[in-house]
Amino acid sequence: MRRLVLFCEGQGDELGVWQLTKRVLAPSDPWRWLVLDDAPFRTGDVSSLFKSDFSKWLKLLTAARKRPEFAGVVAVFDGDMDRVNKQPFCPKLHACQLAAAAQSVGAGSTFSLAVIFARQEFESWLIAGVESLAGQRLPPNSRPGVLSGTVAPSGDLELHPRGAKEWLSKAMEEGYLPTRDQGVLAKLVALDPIRNRNLRSFSRFESAIVQIASAIQHNKHIATPS
């Protein structure tokens, strides 16, 4: 078995990223040869990964390599930053920088890596599919979730609303708490409505998951984007 490890920013992201990754992988039924590690690494503030010659980033990747049967990393971060190291934030440019730096510890040669920035936040993807969540009761104990009749905003959801967490909180009867709700909503949200909103970052997420799984299966490692 080969192990795919997830990286995310904080505790609230762990189950959300894990659930969506599992769902994207499921149609190819890779579970005979692939293990999706259930203990994602929390990186903390993403901007800190770019400092001191990427030392924190490389340390985290080195730690991930110690997991049994380790074969790859998928890193999913929020892309709501304005600047990184005094440089205007660009999701592709900064993902490429992390992927390139990771090559010094074996990314692309001894293990596979994909870096994805959700635009603007992971919750932006949930908002794109929010109508599929409206009125659903949430586990555990069938608690109230997204208010019935909730409709996703029009326009480019990768630009607006800024503050996706706050928007989602107003749309939920008991508010939105990432540590409580993100994993549940990621498990329940319909994926086709998200795809239909043509979110480039979500398309990138899905394609990167498929690409990295194929690379791991055939032992032809990649570091993406490049």
Side-chain angles (χ1 to χ4, degrees), residues 115-134:
V115 181
I116 302 105
F117 282 101
R119 296 286 282 154
Q120 294 284 327
E121 305 168 63
F122 183 92
E123 285 80 5
S124 299
W125 297 348
L126 298 178
I127 290 172
V130 75
E131 290 159 49
S132 70
L133 297 168

Side-chain angles (χ1 to χ4, degrees), residues 16-73:
V17 171
W18 189 88
Q19 288 286 359
L20 275 191
T21 302
K22 181 181 179 182
R23 292 181 65 188
V24 171
L25 285 169
S28 63
D29 192 26
W31 312 124
R32 289 169 294 177
W33 55 269
L34 185 70
V35 173
L36 182 59
D37 192 275
D38 61 1
F41 279 76
R42 301 181 204 168
T43 67
D45 178 28
V46 175
S47 62
S48 68
L49 303 180
F50 293 84
K51 297 177 180 178
S52 304
D53 295 325
F54 301 95
S55 60
K56 180 179 177 181
W57 170 238
L58 300 180
K59 183 178 179 180
L60 287 165
L61 290 170
T62 300
R65 293 185 63 178
K66 297 177 182 178
R67 296 273 170 98
E69 305 299 324
F70 172 78
V73 168

Side-chain angles (χ1 to χ4, degrees), residues 91 118-121 123-125 127-128 152-164 167 194-203:
R119 296 286 282 154
Q120 294 284 327
E121 305 168 63
E123 285 80 5
S124 299
W125 297 348
I127 290 172
S154 60
D156 188 347
L157 294 179
E158 295 189 298
L159 297 178
H160 304 285
R162 296 298 295 266
W167 188 96
I194 306 176
R195 296 171 180 135
N196 292 339
R197 291 301 295 264
N198 296 317
L199 304 184
R200 291 178 64 186
S201 61
F202 187 74
S203 295

